[in-house]
Amino acid sequence: MARQSITFTDPNDAWLNDQVNTKEYASKSELVNDLVRQARKQQAQIDWLKIKLEKAENKGFTTETREQILAQSKSSFNG
């Protein structure tokens, strides 16, 4: 595991401390790692949507309903 030294602004440091003090996380490191995991997952979802939109733009119209597209999107994000 890589060890890093980072600096936080006062408001961000206070927020991190609050999260640790409320026992939501055991340490700032655990919290920051969780935030990075969430950001990576969110970026993967954004990348997936960009690919789908690009394919759709290149392909043209679809016969799928809005509900079918939404269900497929949710399935991909949760899987």
Side-chain angles (χ1 to χ4, degrees):
M1 190 174 298
R3 187 168 180 85
Q4 301 289 319
S5 175
I6 59 175
T7 305
F8 297 106
T9 62
D10 289 338
N12 287 343
D13 189 51
W15 183 83
L16 289 167
N17 285 327
D18 287 344
Q19 299 304 304
V20 173
N21 291 337
T22 60
K23 308 285 192 237
E24 185 72 26
Y25 293 91
S27 66
K28 286 182 187 178
S29 292
E30 182 182 322
L31 172 55
V32 170
N33 275 310
D34 189 42
L35 292 171
V36 170
R37 276 190 294 276
Q38 290 176 37
R40 290 172 60 199
K41 182 178 180 180
Q42 183 180 35
Q43 187 60 54
Q45 292 171 343
I46 290 168
D47 292 345
W48 183 87
L49 281 172
K50 284 180 180 178
I51 290 168
K52 292 299 264 185
L53 287 170
E54 195 173 284
K55 276 184 168 179
E57 287 174 352
N58 293 334
K59 186 176 179 182
F61 292 99
T62 181
T63 58
E64 293 178 323
T65 66
R66 235 184 337 177
E67 290 77 19
Q68 289 171 320
I69 294 169
L70 182 59
Q72 180 186 10
S73 298
K74 286 182 179 180
S75 173
S76 295
F77 289 153
N78 294 328

